[in-house]
Amino acid sequence: MFPFSVHRQARRAVVVTGAAVVAGAAMLSLATAPAHAATPSYTCDNVTAVGGLGTGQLNCVASGGAPASGLITTAFTIVRRSDQVTLSCVPVAGLAGEAVSSDLITGLSCTESQG
């Protein structure tokens, strides 16, 4: 039979190992989340970018704290639903864009990337 302290040490090792496994799983789930989910984002049927101005059109769904309507003052993304083409838009003089309606999102100072 083991002394009491050996059982206590074994119990601690099991608890610490279990906590490490849970923390690792949580970090893995965050790492596999889509990049656009971490920031305010809109997923739309279509996106276009011309000269740094971006738009999302048709059936746009806000996520990540993006406003459903009104001015957008923080960096945000617009993602095309079909192929994940992404417009990343940043504020210019405190304004990043506007959620005009569920069929039109506009962005200032946007860059396009493939998803």
Side-chain angles (χ1 to χ4, degrees):
M1 190 85 175
F2 292 108
F4 180 74
S5 63
V6 172
H7 288 292
R8 190 175 354 180
Q9 288 174 347
R11 221 177 346 198
R12 279 190 201 142
V14 169
V15 169
V16 170
T17 302
V21 169
V22 170
M27 290 176 66
L28 181 60
S29 69
L30 290 175
T32 59
H36 61 89
T39 61
S41 183
Y42 299 89
T43 302
C44 303
D45 288 351
N46 194 31
V47 299
T48 56
V50 177
L53 300 177
T55 60
Q57 306 97 18
L58 300 175
N59 302 310
C60 298
V61 177
S63 62
S69 64
L71 299 178
I72 307 164
T73 58
T74 62
F76 71 100
T77 60
I78 307 171
V79 180
R80 184 173 8 208
R81 187 171 280 109
S82 63
D83 59 8
Q84 303 299 300
V85 166
T86 301
L87 302 181
S88 298
C89 307
V90 297
V92 175
L95 182 63
E98 182 177 8
V100 178
S101 70
S102 63
D103 287 329
L104 180 60
I105 308 298
T106 62
L108 306 175
S109 190
C110 300
T111 56
E112 183 177 326
S113 62
Q114 298 296 319

